[in-house]
Amino acid sequence: MGEFISETCRKKLIGIVTGVGAAYLLYKAIHPGLATPKDDGEDLLIDRYGNSTLDSIGALGDHNICSNSVKMNLQDLKTVLTILRESKDPVIRGAILTSIYRIPGLSSHQETFRSEGGISIVAESLDDPLNFIKTSAVMVFNVLSNDPVNRELLVKYIPQVLKLATSTFQEFEQLPCLRFLTKLSQSHQNHQMLRHVIPEFFHLLENGSSTIKFQVLQILINFSTNSLLTFDMLNMPVPVSFLFLFSYFQRQDILNDLLLLIGNLKEIQRSLPYRARKHEYCEDSIFVLLFGPNSQFPSRLVYLMAFPDDGIKLQAARLVTNLGFVCDPDKEIQSTQVRGHATRGLMEGDQGYFCKHCLFLSHNCWN
């Protein structure tokens, strides 16, 4: 009996979801022995504003795979959601979730999807023991979260998505979760639900792939605009190797966002409301590593001011200005602060004193 129902469900799915691209995806998912289809048709990354963006390195597949229209009427939608709710077959559930988030017209039928209880039905898949089912559910959430009304309804599922994001080491499972969290982290109201996993985000920033680094940065940048999280982020313990992120050979978009993140934190840290409260930072904190008296961060900025991209140069220069490091003409510059630029020869500039070896870059030097 179970086999008959399973076969009936499979036939219904093939009949409901039509179109060359969707039929192919369903066939690949339902065919015995095959895993769920690769995420070839979805934009790889989401920026901090929730907009889709293609990663210049490692973008996946052909984004025209789902260009054919897939039509689904109300009765079809009800049938699909019913099967998703009642079926225990992981292949069928994975196929349904995959077909839902790939339907081009879904964005224009959000209200119908909500009225049929689609969000709660999809959310049930977050409790599935199989990660690929959970990941497929989060992919559906990513499509649904483009709608402001849906976004409010999806907030309560943040803990479950966070659990998946921090419990897996598979990039294809982490990325959909990070995309979803990027969109929901735009609102400061949701930051308290995400606050406790800031250490995990910094761990992913340092140890993840370039794609993971970029996506985590979008979340951290959203956090960095919230003054209530500034101390938590500045007091985050990090290894000295964290400085290696600020490399001349770092990917340009990642480097730009790293400097933006630190710039945002420094700006709030310098503000009067923040300085009005006393803050004590641990010795291995980001604050001490980047802004402490023995920090090597200034020398990193010096190198970045020779970066080919003007935007990076500007970000580095802005940080130098905000850090407030200037040369003392009566003291020797320490080579440990600016390697390769130690000299007793100082020249007076319009904005302070500069090392004449660095003058062509318009750098401040540090004592």
Side-chain angles (χ1 to χ4, degrees):
M1 182 64 177
E3 293 180 358
F4 173 76
I5 293 175
S6 179
E7 182 63 25
T8 301
C9 290
R10 293 168 191 255
K11 290 179 179 179
K12 281 185 178 180
L13 285 173
I14 293 292
I16 290 171
V17 185
T18 59
V20 178
Y24 171 75
L25 290 167
L26 279 174
Y27 168 77
K28 295 289 283 185
I30 295 174
H31 192 279
L34 294 178
T36 53
K38 291 172 66 176
D39 183 20
D40 289 335
E42 184 180 6
D43 285 348
L44 188 60
L45 299 171
I46 301 293
D47 67 18
R48 56 189 172 276
Y49 306 112
N51 301 316
S52 298
T53 177
L54 288 178
D55 190 16
S56 59
I57 297 180
L60 300 178
D62 181 2
H63 287 253
N64 294 321
I65 191 170
C66 292
S67 59
N68 295 280
S69 176
V70 179
K71 298 180 180 179
M72 182 179 287
N73 58 38
L74 180 58
Q75 186 56 47
D76 291 338
L77 179 59
K78 288 181 177 179
T79 302
V80 167
L81 291 176
T82 299
I83 296 173
L84 178 60
R85 183 175 58 240
E86 297 179 356
S87 175
K88 302 301 181 184
D89 187 331
V91 177
I92 291 178
R93 294 172 61 80
I96 293 175
L97 292 168
T98 300
S99 66
I100 289 176
Y101 80 76
R102 290 183 182 276
I103 296 174
L106 180 60
S107 298
S108 59
H109 294 86
Q110 304 275 1
E111 186 174 350
T112 302
F113 194 86
R114 283 195 301 271
S115 65
E116 294 302 318
I119 292 179
S120 60
I121 292 174
V122 171
E124 292 174 5
S125 297
L126 294 175
D127 296 321
D128 195 281
L130 299 176
N131 275 4
F132 88 88
I133 297 292
K134 296 177 186 176
T135 303
S136 297
V138 177
M139 289 177 178
V140 177
F141 279 2
N142 274 321
V143 177
L144 297 175
S145 63
N146 292 326
D147 182 271
V149 177
N150 287 343
R151 203 173 297 153
E152 294 300 318
L153 299 174
L154 292 170
V155 168
K156 64 181 179 181
Y157 301 111
I158 287 179
Q160 289 168 280
V161 177
L162 274 174
K163 184 177 179 181
L164 175 59
T166 56
S167 64
T168 180
F169 298 100
Q170 301 295 329
E171 182 173 311
F172 70 89
E173 294 173 347
Q174 288 177 332
L175 268 177
C177 298
L178 294 174
R179 295 187 195 111
F180 175 73
L181 296 173
T182 297
K183 292 180 180 180
L184 269 65
S185 67
Q186 294 174 54
S187 171
H188 285 195
Q189 295 179 348
N190 300 331
H191 287 180
Q192 289 304 315
M193 300 181 70
L194 298 164
R195 189 174 196 163
H196 67 285
V197 290
I198 290 178
E200 281 80 1
F201 288 143
F202 274 100
H203 176 77
L204 289 174
L205 175 60
E206 187 172 4
N207 299 290
S209 67
S210 294
T211 303
I212 293 293
K213 281 181 169 64
F214 177 90
Q215 199 63 69
V216 168
L217 275 168
Q218 309 314 300
I219 300 173
L220 292 176
I221 289 173
N222 285 339
F223 286 171
S224 70
T225 62
N226 186 348
S227 60
L228 296 178
L229 298 184
T230 302
F231 177 73
D232 289 16
M233 298 180 74
L234 287 176
N235 199 40
M236 185 60 52
V238 291
V240 177
S241 59
F242 184 80
L243 280 174
F244 297 160
L245 290 171
F246 301 88
S247 167
Y248 189 88
F249 303 102
Q250 182 67 269
R251 234 177 62 186
Q252 182 174 316
D253 55 348
I254 294 175
L255 188 54
N256 182 77
D257 285 347
L258 278 167
L259 293 174
L260 177 60
L261 169 65
I262 301 305
N264 287 349
L265 292 174
K266 185 61 180 176
E267 184 175 353
I268 294 179
Q269 186 264 330
R270 294 175 67 234
S271 67
L272 290 177
Y274 186 90
R275 291 163 58 191
R277 300 186 298 272
K278 185 177 180 180
H279 299 93
E280 295 184 3
Y281 301 95
C282 59
E283 293 183 1
D284 57 350
S285 66
I286 288 179
F287 180 85
V288 173
L289 180 66
L290 299 185
F291 311 132
N294 298 316
S295 174
Q296 297 298 310
F297 185 49
S299 64
R300 293 274 169 176
L301 293 177
V302 168
Y303 296 135
L304 293 182
M305 292 185 75
F307 199 82
D309 179 70
D310 289 340
I312 300 296
K313 292 179 182 178
L314 181 61
Q315 292 265 41
R318 186 177 291 117
L319 264 174
V320 167
T321 302
N322 288 340
L323 289 174
F325 289 108
V326 293
C327 291
D328 184 339
D330 297 324
K331 294 182 179 180
E332 179 180 354
I333 303 173
Q334 300 297 318
S335 59
T336 57
Q337 290 292 330
V338 186
R339 296 178 182 177
H341 297 281
T343 177
R344 295 184 65 95
L346 299 169
M347 299 181 64
E348 187 175 2
D350 294 335
Q351 299 179 357
Y353 293 92
F354 300 88
C355 164
K356 65 182 179 181
H357 286 229
C358 303
L359 186 61
F360 72 100
L361 294 176
S362 298
H363 294 155
N364 286 82
C365 290
W366 294 266
N367 57 21

